[in-house]
Amino acid sequence: RATFDDMTLEQWDASWRINVRSLLVSCRAAVDAMAPGGGGSIVNVSSGAADPWLPHELLPPGYLAYSVAKAALERFSTALASEVADRNVAVNAFRPGAVKTEMSVHELGEDYDWSAWKEPASVVPAIHCLVRQRADGITGRIVDVADYGTGWG
């Protein structure tokens, strides 16, 4: 992570390669594989950091490149949905909320108060619901796990 003043172009480009450029490559391959079989579903994992309504006080310094790249991921997902609907492919962006992952532990440390964070397995029902969608179901959406609570099924 780097702040606006300290970020190099290499760091900015790396964030875009990981979070945005990879979308084009992976989604193109996924659509090409799904379409001949009658369709499918793409779920791109986003972050609350992309939420334009997130108060800036809740986004710590150093998340500029990450939050902008995740916002691009969301827009890519909603735009791609309309382009591949004729192939019966659903595309959604999914915001899982605060999930304790290896990356988050690395960034925040083992001593951080993890009590409000979810374990990765807790978002599986939501992702399972989204991967069952086709173009005539939930598609072109930014789905926040908090919007549905435990009502996934």
Side-chain angles (χ1 to χ4, degrees):
R1 295 185 321 173
T3 63
F4 173 75
D5 290 326
D6 297 330
M7 186 181 316
T8 66
L9 284 176
E10 290 77 18
Q11 289 169 310
W12 180 263
D13 290 344
S15 182
W16 278 82
R17 266 193 320 278
I18 292 165
N19 292 296
V20 182
R21 187 175 191 267
S22 64
L23 285 173
L24 179 62
V25 174
S26 60
C27 288
R28 187 173 282 160
V31 170
D32 288 348
M34 290 177 191
S41 181
I42 296 170
V43 179
N44 294 316
V45 179
S46 187
S47 168
D51 188 344
W53 302 109
L54 181 70
H56 71 86
E57 299 88 359
L58 296 179
L59 195 61
Y63 279 86
L64 176 64
Y66 177 79
S67 62
V68 171
K70 287 298 188 177
L73 174 149
E74 291 184 357
R75 190 63 189 135
F76 177 93
S77 299
T78 59
L80 181 61
S82 64
E83 292 202 20
V84 298
D86 63 337
R87 289 171 262 183
N88 199 29
V89 175
V91 184
N92 291 291
F94 176 65
R95 292 182 189 155
V99 178
K100 184 180 178 184
T101 63
E102 288 181 26
M103 186 175 89
S104 59
V105 171
H106 176 74
E107 295 227 349
L108 300 173
E110 286 288 346
D111 295 333
Y112 183 79
D113 178 8
W114 296 102
S115 60
W117 291 55
K118 296 185 266 324
E119 291 296 323
S122 70
V123 299
V124 170
I127 293 174
H128 186 253
C129 176
L130 290 172
V131 298
R132 292 189 319 237
Q133 301 301 312
R134 295 299 180 267
D136 62 349
I138 299 170
T139 190
R141 302 286 182 258
I142 300 166
V143 179
D144 192 315
V145 72
D147 292 342
Y148 296 92
T150 59
W152 297 95

